Amino acid sequence: MKLALIGFGQAGGKIVDQFVEYDERQGTDIVRAAVAVNTAKADLMGLEHIPENNRVLIGQSRVKGHGVGADNELGAEIAEEDIDEVQGAIDSIPVHEVDAFLVVAGLGGGTGSGGSPVLAKHLKRIYTEPVYGLGILPGSDEGGIYTLNAARSFQTFVREVDNLLVFDNDAWRKTGESVSSGYEEINEEIVRRFGILFGAGEIEEGGEVAESVVDSSEIINTLSGGGVSTVGYASEEVEAPSNNGGGGILSRLKGDDDDDELDSAHTTNRITSLVRKAALGRLTLPCEIDGAERALLVMAGPPQHLNRKGIERGRKWLEEQTGSMEVRGGDYPVRGSGFVASVILLSGVTNVPRIKELQQVAIEAQDNIDEIREESEDNLNDLIQDDDDELESLF
Ligand code: GDP
């Protein structure tokens, strides 16, 4: 499906930037427009793939391009004051050509954390297209203020969007590694998962697998109803497709029907095991899959390695595991790919330990708010100092 991507803050901008690169490299044609919004000039200058005209610096009169540190209340105020500047960039998007907006932000910082819910609310007031959020939760080693920001931003963001897709940095941190040193890999993981999910709805029906290709309305229906979503992924390498399409003429001449059946059983088994691995492996937001309200299974790969029976079995298994009556499934044929991959979108998940923890933090924070504010101010001063150094080295 076609998306208008808006990255708010540093993490949001970097992820959208990488999404644009993925889209161009893979030829998936998902990104109809990409915009980055930030209060920090240096962050906008560091982007590589988002067109310069689509980079919006807000809050210049308040923070002079230095960012807001981890002050997400200031981030939210600035977003409200300067929403017209953001709208100015969105005005250049042919909105009638997009299926949805996706607002991407790290929820632990200041600009994206405070600004993304403000933008989502604004977009929903103006446009009829669905507005989805992709919220990144901070690592637990980042400190109290980040957790508190995420707890508060999460509560607002989930209310303002049509669905909040979540990625938890904490669950993806490698042991012995701080989150920041692993961002590159983490961002690739994010872009791969969401790229396959949204790319699936962009394939035109036709050719060999016409019956069961996922279309954008299935993605939209799975996300409708709101709440929080998580995405699972698993892949397996397969032989590069041969030119005569597998068995082809030779096996038919030899009357090799048994081989075909064996192949098809193998294909089905591979699909069902990839579905299990994706659902039971590491999700973007770890949770119990039991109780998910809706799910969508996308099987991506070369058409000859996809079959309806496998997808149907995978879909049924997901129905049993989630207890949901609304599990959709289909394929995403990618000719010439050397992998078969399963992507599972679980929407309306309820049993999420990390979210419960954040809610608890938000409640407890009321008691020691002064301490946290102090930490935030120190943080802001450090950041302004860092930013000054960074800007000086740039000019
Ligand atoms: P902002 O610019 O004020 O919105 O704040 P940042 O986006 O820099 O940081 C917000 C949070 O996003 C941090 O606490 C990190 O958890 C996370 N973060 C920052 N950069 C990245 C990134 O490149 N990838 C990912 N996955 N998370 C990031």
Side-chain angles (χ1 to χ4, degrees):
M1 62 196 269
K2 294 248 187 281
L3 295 175
L5 293 175
I6 304 162
F8 218 120
Q10 177 174 228
K14 272 161 63 186
I15 291 165
V16 168
D17 207 51
Q18 201 155 327
F19 225 114
V20 175
E21 190 274 330
Y22 169 94
D23 196 46
E24 284 167 3
R25 178 164 37 93
Q26 302 281 340
T28 37
D29 222 10
I30 312 166
V31 183
R32 188 62 194 83
V35 173
V37 185
N38 212 319
T39 58
K41 190 170 180 177
D43 289 347
L44 288 177
M45 289 175 71
L47 302 172
E48 290 172 24
H49 304 279
I50 298 173
E52 276 181 31
N53 295 346
N54 289 4
R55 302 179 197 176
V56 187
L57 182 64
I58 55 170
Q60 289 191 70
S61 60
R62 300 277 292 263
V63 298
K64 306 192 168 33
H66 290 308
V68 299
D71 185 347
N72 71 350
E73 285 177 21
L74 181 55
E77 272 174 37
I78 289 178
E80 303 232 2
E81 285 165 14
D82 288 355
I83 200 72
D84 291 344
E85 288 176 45
V86 183
Q87 182 60 46
I90 294 167
D91 281 339
S92 67
I93 300 176
V95 174
H96 58 281
E97 288 177 25
V98 310
D99 296 305
F101 291 93
L102 182 65
V103 180
V104 187
L107 303 189
T111 303
S113 172
S116 53
V118 172
L119 175 61
K121 183 176 187 173
H122 171 82
L123 292 174
K124 279 203 65 69
R125 256 204 313 245
I126 307 236
Y127 300 104
T128 51
E129 285 74 12
V131 177
Y132 304 129
L134 170 53
I136 314 294
L137 298 180
S140 54
D141 62 345
E142 289 187 59
I145 184 68
Y146 288 85
T147 308
L148 177 60
N149 284 346
R152 293 195 162 157
S153 175
F154 177 88
Q155 283 181 324
T156 327
F157 206 16
V158 76
R159 218 175 33 232
E160 304 299 355
V161 291
D162 288 294
N163 198 297
L164 183 58
L165 301 143
V166 182
F167 187 95
D168 186 359
N169 278 345
D170 202 45
W172 286 83
R173 193 162 39 123
K174 294 215 177 99
T175 38
E177 202 179 58
S178 74
V179 178
S180 56
S181 61
Y183 278 153
E184 208 158 304
E185 258 176 68
I186 283 182
N187 292 352
E188 266 171 40
E189 188 72 42
I190 294 174
V191 166
R192 182 183 316 123
R193 290 184 181 217
F194 291 100
I196 294 177
L197 174 66
F198 290 114
E202 203 35 47
I203 291 283
E204 295 292 318
E205 295 219 353
E208 303 134 67
V209 278
E211 332 95 64
S212 54
V213 173
V214 172
D215 68 31
S216 47
S217 69
E218 288 175 291
I219 304 171
I220 291 171
N221 288 337
T222 307
L223 291 170
S224 71
V228 172
S229 290
T230 183
V231 175
Y233 170 84
S235 73
E236 195 180 305
E237 207 166 340
V238 290
E239 281 161 41
S242 64
N243 288 338
N244 63 6
I249 259 188
L250 197 62
S251 65
R252 258 184 276 140
L253 282 173
K254 289 198 310 197
D256 241 355
D257 283 352
D258 284 358
D259 267 7
D260 279 359
E261 259 171 43
L262 209 82
D263 268 6
S264 126
H266 184 55
T267 300
T268 308
N269 289 342
R270 180 193 286 122
I271 292 174
T272 48
S273 75
L274 281 173
V275 171
R276 286 166 197 229
K277 272 194 210 162
L280 304 175
R282 198 162 14 157
L283 301 168
T284 57
L285 174 68
C287 67
E288 291 297 328
I289 69 170
D290 182 18
E293 282 168 30
R294 294 166 301 280
L296 173 69
L297 162 65
V298 175
M299 284 307 309
Q304 65 273 32
H305 288 290
L306 305 175
N307 72 20
R308 188 166 249 215
K309 198 164 163 191
I311 293 169
E312 196 43 36
R313 279 204 193 153
R315 211 187 55 73
K316 286 250 166 62
W317 180 84
L318 269 175
E319 265 178 11
E320 282 161 26
Q321 297 295 310
T322 56
S324 165
M325 299 297 284
E326 232 187 293
V327 180
R328 297 173 173 86
D331 41 61
Y332 174 12
V334 187
R335 272 163 228 286
S337 163
F339 289 88
V340 172
S342 147
V343 169
I344 296 171
L345 167 65
L346 296 155
S347 171
V349 290
T350 45
N351 198 348
V352 192
R354 187 76 205 277
I355 303 297
K356 289 183 185 145
E357 191 186 300
L358 286 180
Q359 280 161 345
Q360 196 55 35
V361 167
I363 295 166
E364 282 166 13
Q366 296 307 332
D367 304 335
N368 53 358
I369 190 72
D370 291 340
E371 225 172 275
I372 292 163
R373 283 236 167 88
E374 258 170 50
E375 189 192 333
S376 168
E377 267 155 35
D378 287 351
N379 204 309
L380 180 59
N381 291 335
D382 286 354
L383 258 142
I384 287 180
Q385 192 53 48
D386 283 357
D387 250 16
D388 276 342
D389 298 347
E390 214 170 317
L391 281 174
E392 268 162 30
S393 66
L394 279 167
F395 296 109

